[in-house]
Amino acid sequence: MRNPIVAGITVALLGLSGTALAKVAPEEAAKLGGELTPVGAERAANAAGTIPEWTGGLNTPPASWKKGDIETNPFPDDEPLFIITKANAHLYKDKLSEGHLKMLDQYGPDFFLPVYESRRTAAYPQHVYEKLKENALSAELLDNGNGVRDAIMTSPFPIPKNGLEAIWNHILRYRGTEIEFRSASATPQRDGSYNPVVNDYQYFIAYSKKDAKLEEFDNKIFYLKTNTVSPATLAGTITLVHETLDQIRSPRLAWRYDSGSRRLRRSPNLAYETDLPNSSSLRSVDQKDMYNGAPNQYEWELKGKRELYVPYNAYMLHDEEVRPDDVIRPRHINQSLARYELHRVWVVEARRRVGISHIYDRRVFYIDEDSWQILASEEYDEDGNLWRVSEAHNISFYSEPVFWTTMEMTYDLKAERYYVDGLDDGYKPYDFSPGFRSSEFTASAARRDARR
């Protein structure tokens, strides 16, 4: 399946106007690669031994995989250690998020969490680890936290001091430099019926180019171009996005080519709470990739770490034989294909700023300590009620050592419907070296593509 694109610390971020927050001291950065992993996670196992020591992650593909293939399951003999259900959820309450507790209660007994042995598979290339340490010594938040300076390639704050630094670690985490793939999304009705929307995705991540210099990427994180393949009513629609680092100084640029009008137009509102295209109003634009864009609409608080059962190593969902009909079920996906493990996660809470209009008043993010990937989140309405629960099911890719989502979904607890992205129908594997150039991601290039 595909998806496009310590403990005990509580630091409240109530305002960052004026001086940028300081970088970490050299003696603190020296912990990276030692007692901390290169990305800033605790290297050691937990006290109970239920979370193992990090020993480098899955940096060597299994013998069952060869280049050009879909990633195979490196743990084919694993069976669930136990299954969390509505009936026994109280036994595991301390290791379940509020979102999963609510899902188990509202959707049980057919919604359950199969829990497997914890395997810390997240791994990145060595040059990314080197940049993480450099970023730790140099990176700073811009005034008001709306961007980052003196960082490149990957997460800027491997030893975060506040919630904004942690969320920027997710936004800027390493996902490779060029990626091309095909993926489908769907918004099933309550009875499970659905009509998938298939897109081709092309990413050019300027921020992460191996030899890039700070002055070269011109405030751009990445360029994204999508081309809708089906259904026929949407086929030929092209979307082009220039994702900027400081979106207050230089907002995200987006264009959309509609095959009906045969014109490429600027999309001025492709941000924040705007409905994500083709999501049936079940997901906002800033939920794509679990969270994206400028963080200026919220106050961010780092709540510390928790040990939680979270989606991880989703190779069964990613399996080349699994089709959308195997995944889609009424109200939620087929949970027998999901895999949950116990991992340490950073907990970050976002509260909407006074005077800001956004459909979510409060959001809680659970961020993997080993990768800075958001694994799950909760979205609350203005009355304080839990409205939506989102999950990211991840794998470690093999052709490029990257820990990234293979499938994402947002569950709407009021509508009892969901949006899912990353459905596969026999598509080719991710290509992490398609040979793109930045000139292929201009508005004029998109117009040329539309005429073909």
Side-chain angles (χ1 to χ4, degrees):
M1 300 300 118
R2 316 285 201 276
N3 172 52
I5 289 194
V6 51
I9 292 178
T10 301
V11 182
L13 185 67
L14 300 178
L16 285 170
S17 57
T19 306
L21 294 184
K23 32 201 150 172
V24 303
E27 56 269 24
E28 196 169 6
K31 297 177 182 178
L32 297 170
E35 63 181 274
L36 301 179
T37 73
V39 304
E42 296 172 55
R43 182 183 294 271
N46 66 348
T50 47
I51 299 174
E53 177 187 5
W54 186 81
T55 57
L58 189 60
N59 53 18
T60 301
S64 59
W65 177 83
K66 66 178 184 295
K67 190 173 179 61
D69 287 351
I70 300 291
E71 284 74 15
T72 54
N73 189 347
F75 316 115
D77 298 326
D78 279 10
E79 297 288 342
L81 301 175
F82 53 89
I83 296 175
I84 303 176
T85 65
K86 179 177 182 177
N88 66 11
H90 64 283
L91 300 175
Y92 306 98
K93 187 175 182 179
D94 63 325
K95 290 182 171 57
L96 290 170
S97 67
E98 290 301 314
H100 280 141
L101 283 167
K102 179 66 174 177
M103 291 280 293
L104 288 161
D105 180 63
Q106 182 168 328
Y107 290 164
D110 55 321
F111 182 87
F112 53 87
L113 305 184
V115 177
Y116 290 76
E117 178 182 351
S118 298
R119 298 184 182 274
R120 296 177 70 177
T121 52
Y124 294 107
Q126 183 59 37
H127 69 271
V128 175
Y129 293 148
E130 293 167 3
K131 284 295 181 185
L132 277 155
K133 182 170 284 191
E134 292 177 19
N135 285 348
L137 292 167
S138 63
E140 294 179 317
L141 289 168
L142 297 179
D143 290 353
N144 298 312
N146 293 324
V148 176
R149 64 167 164 249
D150 296 333
I152 200 166
M153 187 179 290
T154 184
S155 301
F157 307 109
I159 305 176
K161 304 301 183 185
N162 55 68
L164 258 181
E165 291 187 352
I167 204 67
W168 274 113
N169 281 344
H170 166 80
I171 293 170
L172 297 176
R173 73 200 187 284
Y174 185 76
R175 286 159 287 179
T177 58
E178 302 171 17
I179 312 100
E180 184 173 34
F181 60 92
R182 177 170 288 187
S183 177
S185 64
T187 55
Q189 300 295 328
R190 292 183 66 177
D191 64 1
S193 59
Y194 68 97
N195 294 302
V197 177
V198 180
N199 285 289
D200 287 335
Y201 292 85
Q202 297 180 342
Y203 282 91
F204 183 85
I205 305 179
Y207 175 81
S208 295
K209 296 293 287 184
K210 188 172 183 179
D211 299 320
K213 302 293 188 293
L214 283 170
E215 61 275 11
E216 292 177 350
F217 64 88
D218 189 30
N219 195 40
K220 301 293 194 304
I221 303 174
F222 63 76
Y223 303 88
L224 167 64
K225 185 161 51 180
T226 68
N227 191 336
T228 303
V229 177
S230 65
T233 53
L234 297 174
T237 300
I238 293 175
T239 301
L240 175 66
V241 176
H242 292 184
E243 186 75 349
T244 53
L245 185 56
D246 180 355
Q247 294 199 2
I248 304 306
R249 176 173 66 88
S250 177
R252 169 188 291 149
L253 300 175
W255 297 262
R256 184 179 176 89
Y257 175 85
D258 186 331
S259 58
S261 66
R262 303 185 69 177
R263 292 185 61 186
L264 184 72
R265 294 186 174 94
R266 282 287 301 273
S267 299
N269 299 315
L270 197 65
Y272 299 121
E273 67 175 350
T274 304
D275 286 345
L276 185 69
N278 304 315
S279 71
S280 299
S281 300
L282 295 173
R283 204 181 208 203
S284 60
V285 165
D286 65 6
Q287 287 181 274
K288 181 75 173 176
D289 196 34
M290 298 301 283
Y291 184 81
N292 71 84
N296 62 310
Q297 293 192 324
Y298 291 91
E299 304 284 1
W300 299 84
E301 183 178 357
L302 188 63
K303 308 288 285 188
K305 279 188 184 177
R306 287 184 65 184
E307 295 182 3
L308 287 183
Y309 295 117
V310 286
Y312 223 91
N313 290 317
Y315 290 95
M316 289 184 291
L317 283 171
H318 188 75
D319 190 280
E320 65 177 343
E321 299 299 325
V322 171
R323 296 294 183 262
D325 283 350
D326 300 316
V327 176
I328 300 293
R329 295 290 183 271
R331 304 196 300 172
H332 56 76
I333 69 163
N334 180 359
Q335 286 296 106
S336 65
L337 293 174
R339 176 178 176 131
Y340 296 81
E341 299 178 3
L342 186 67
H343 285 265
R344 286 184 291 244
V345 297
W346 290 99
V347 183
V348 176
E349 182 179 79
R351 290 185 176 271
R352 187 176 59 187
R353 290 179 180 233
V354 175
I356 293 294
S357 174
H358 196 292
I359 58 173
Y360 302 134
D361 181 69
R362 182 168 74 94
R363 305 164 82 160
V364 180
F365 299 93
Y366 302 98
I367 308 176
D368 178 32
E369 71 165 347
D370 285 333
S371 64
W372 294 109
Q373 166 71 52
I374 295 173
L375 301 175
S377 66
E378 298 149 5
E379 293 81 33
Y380 293 80
D381 65 21
E382 61 183 8
D383 296 320
N385 299 312
L386 180 57
W387 179 6
R388 290 171 175 167
V389 178
S390 300
E391 290 185 335
H393 295 258
N394 307 271
I395 66 166
S396 288
F397 288 86
Y398 300 152
S399 58
E400 171 81 359
V402 171
F403 187 79
W404 200 15
T405 54
T406 183
M407 185 177 292
E408 290 184 4
M409 63 281 299
T410 292
Y411 295 108
D412 189 310
L413 302 179
K414 297 178 184 179
E416 295 201 337
R417 292 182 60 196
Y418 63 102
Y419 168 88
V420 57
D421 194 5
L423 297 167
D424 183 7
D425 198 10
Y427 307 137
K428 294 179 181 179
Y430 277 48
D431 184 353
F432 284 93
S433 55
F436 294 143
R437 300 182 304 274
S438 59
S439 59
E440 299 175 57
F441 294 84
T442 62
S444 58
R447 289 189 187 93
R448 289 194 297 271
D449 289 344
R451 296 190 188 105
R452 292 174 183 170

